[in-house]
Amino acid sequence: MNATPSSTDHRDHTYGTDHAYGTDRTEPADREGRTVHLDTAGWGTMPAAVRALVADCASREDRYGPHELEEDLEDVLRTEVHERLGALLGVPAADTAVVTDAAGAFDALVSRLAPGRGERVWTTPYESAARLTALYALRDRTRCTVEVVPLREDGDLDLEWMARHIDDDVALVSVVHVPSGCGIVNPVEEIGQILAPHRCVYAVDAAYSAGQLPVDAGRIGCQLLTGDGWRFLRGPYAVGFAFLAPRLRAAFEDAADHRPLPPNAAVAGLNAALAHHTATTATATTDGPAGLAGQGLLPALRAAVEECPGTELIAPGRVQSAILAFRHRDLPAALVRRRLAARGVVLWKTVAQETPLHLPRSGATTALRASLGPDTTPQDIARFGRALREVVREETAGAQRPRPARTLTPAPTPTSALASAPAPVPPAGPRPRPSARRHLTLCPTP
């Protein structure tokens, strides 16, 4: 079946995904002159077939209305996308759900949990601000306590601490597989084995791991797993997914009834992106992240950053994903990002409030994040390295260059009438505060 209709009768068009997805369908481009996209973690570029299908759905919805489009997409919305999600996550299709985003799905479930007063909720220093907000709201509503799992000296989670302190007073454990602010891969399967004998709900955030690493909810042993479809899975924005254990389904659906659903066109795009991901990773080897296997690009990316004077890696932990965070000791992250963008290299600037329990304590308030994608090439990494060195060299030289002396124009001689006038008296009271917005960094609550 084609991704775009070949008939003028829209009722003859079916939105299945039986396409030839064995090869990447992105548009050909000049490898030297194209934009180097190193922000797959923020927004993965959609394959051409996925992009065309989403555009076609939007066009049909505009022409015939949303109800007609929903009828055309019935098999995709009710069956096909859930079968693909089940295959991706290693769970029954009936246990999956389509949502707008991972953080919203987590908040929806947590808002329906009711741990007892004094029961414990575990999180980690790598938790996102959105999920922390949901956990703090749970704490305030139920009077449970929120505890942060400590880190080892190398940045890994202290699994021995978890094994010593776990008991049936722990009601919820929230762990991010790969955080947004750095590339560490947390051992979610090992944590699942520690938690398995106990009653707690185990929730895993796979927003930044699904699509680049194997994510098998069955092997992880979690009861909730959430993810976004527009990052490493390279689907459209505003659509994500969740796996829910049967005992959580009723509570989740009760909360989801009061939340917006993703657009039907976005769900169709996610379905096509899942088909593309399955086809392209079926032939990949297993010596690296899915879609990146055998290319050795993460070591090359690290080397490109480390070879630039003044840069510092933010890479805790022993196992790393296709995400690399770094900063420059003297140059603001926002300035470096803008200068790289002007040279055709796209990165993301991450700020402390995105992971408020981690970045501020590491001494960083802002940082740069580079993330690889399945279409990243060694030439892209080399071009990034050259651009980064150029930016640092130019901006460092500019900061050291002496500024020209300012020449002040003499004030005009006042007239006799002005000279005799009394000097203005400043108003009494406190000085008004400027109304301009300033940079805000959130601090973790005690």
Side-chain angles (χ1 to χ4, degrees):
M1 258 170 232
N2 296 325
T4 55
S6 58
S7 170
T8 56
D9 182 3
H10 73 284
R11 297 305 297 267
D12 291 339
H13 176 58
T14 304
Y15 290 87
T17 52
D18 297 329
H19 305 92
Y21 278 115
T23 58
D24 193 359
R25 297 280 299 278
T26 52
E27 298 293 339
D30 182 358
R31 307 303 293 185
E32 293 296 327
R34 73 180 188 130
T35 298
V36 176
H37 185 79
L38 295 178
D39 188 25
T40 306
W43 190 305
T45 56
M46 285 188 287
V50 178
R51 185 168 56 249
L53 186 143
V54 173
D56 182 66
C57 286
S59 175
R60 288 178 174 274
E61 184 175 46
D62 179 66
R63 182 176 181 183
Y64 301 108
H67 300 295
E68 195 80 7
L69 178 65
E70 183 175 3
E71 183 177 335
D72 287 344
L73 293 173
E74 182 175 5
D75 289 341
V76 170
L77 301 178
R78 296 182 180 275
T79 303
E80 193 171 323
V81 69
H82 294 283
E83 292 176 346
R84 295 191 188 282
L85 286 171
L88 176 75
L89 304 177
V91 297
D95 293 340
T96 64
V98 177
V99 297
T100 55
D101 62 281
F106 178 76
D107 179 68
L109 179 66
V110 170
S111 68
R112 293 299 188 271
L113 297 180
R117 186 184 183 95
E119 290 188 337
R120 293 179 290 158
V121 171
W122 282 1
T123 185
T124 75
Y126 299 115
E127 193 74 275
S128 68
R131 289 171 71 103
L132 282 174
T133 300
L135 294 178
Y136 290 151
L138 177 67
R139 177 195 62 185
D140 296 341
R141 175 170 56 86
T142 66
R143 302 305 178 190
C144 65
T145 61
V146 176
E147 298 178 351
V148 181
V149 176
L151 302 179
R152 306 186 334 170
E153 290 185 1
D154 59 8
D156 281 338
L157 296 175
D158 192 338
L159 301 189
E160 294 181 358
W161 182 94
M162 298 183 74
R164 290 196 308 269
H165 291 83
I166 183 64
D167 57 36
D168 285 341
D169 285 339
V170 178
L172 171 65
V173 177
S174 175
V175 178
V176 56
H177 194 184
V178 176
S180 65
C182 62
I184 185 174
V185 180
N186 286 317
V188 290
E189 291 187 15
E190 289 86 341
I191 293 173
Q193 294 171 5
I194 294 173
L195 303 179
H198 301 276
R199 58 175 281 267
C200 61
V201 172
Y202 180 25
V204 173
D205 179 5
Y208 291 87
S209 60
Q212 66 146 324
L213 297 172
V215 178
D216 190 320
R219 294 185 59 181
I220 293 171
C222 58
Q223 288 75 51
L224 173 68
L225 186 143
T226 56
D228 294 327
W230 64 86
R231 304 186 193 279
F232 288 95
L233 286 172
R234 304 170 69 197
Y237 187 69
V239 62
F241 55 89
F243 154 72
L244 300 116
R247 66 184 174 111
L248 301 179
R249 169 68 64 172
F252 178 81
E253 290 181 347
D254 178 62
D257 286 342
H258 305 284
R259 294 172 183 261
L261 296 173
N264 291 329
V267 178
L270 173 62
N271 184 59
L274 290 169
H276 182 276
H277 172 76
T278 300
T280 54
T281 56
T283 56
T285 58
T286 58
D287 59 346
L292 303 172
Q295 298 184 23
L297 293 183
L298 183 59
L301 182 64
R302 290 177 64 102
V305 173
E306 291 177 319
E307 290 169 2
C308 183
T311 55
E312 300 174 347
L313 292 178
I314 304 175
R318 292 169 293 176
V319 181
Q320 297 293 312
S321 66
I323 298 174
L324 182 67
F326 65 97
R327 63 176 177 172
H328 192 275
R329 289 193 299 266
D330 303 318
L331 300 178
L335 174 66
V336 177
R337 187 200 64 80
R338 289 195 303 267
R339 296 294 184 264
L340 287 173
R343 288 167 168 80
V345 179
V346 177
L347 273 70
W348 181 259
K349 185 196 81 170
T350 182
V351 294
Q353 57 259 43
E354 293 181 6
T355 49
L357 300 183
H358 173 239
L359 275 183
R361 295 181 181 180
S362 68
T365 55
T366 61
L368 292 159
R369 185 189 69 198
S371 50
L372 306 173
D375 55 351
T376 308
T377 67
Q379 292 77 17
D380 292 336
I381 303 301
R383 183 175 163 190
F384 157 69
R386 291 194 301 269
L388 181 61
R389 291 191 296 271
E390 291 173 1
V391 168
V392 169
R393 182 173 60 252
E394 293 178 5
E395 296 301 326
T396 303
Q400 297 174 350
R401 188 180 303 117
R403 297 182 179 180
R406 296 178 59 188
T407 303
L408 299 180
T409 304
T413 303
T415 62
S416 57
L418 291 177
S420 61
V425 179
R431 296 176 59 186
R433 300 183 65 178
S435 59
R437 298 177 63 185
R438 299 189 177 189
H439 185 77
L440 174 67
T441 299
L442 301 181
C443 297
T445 62

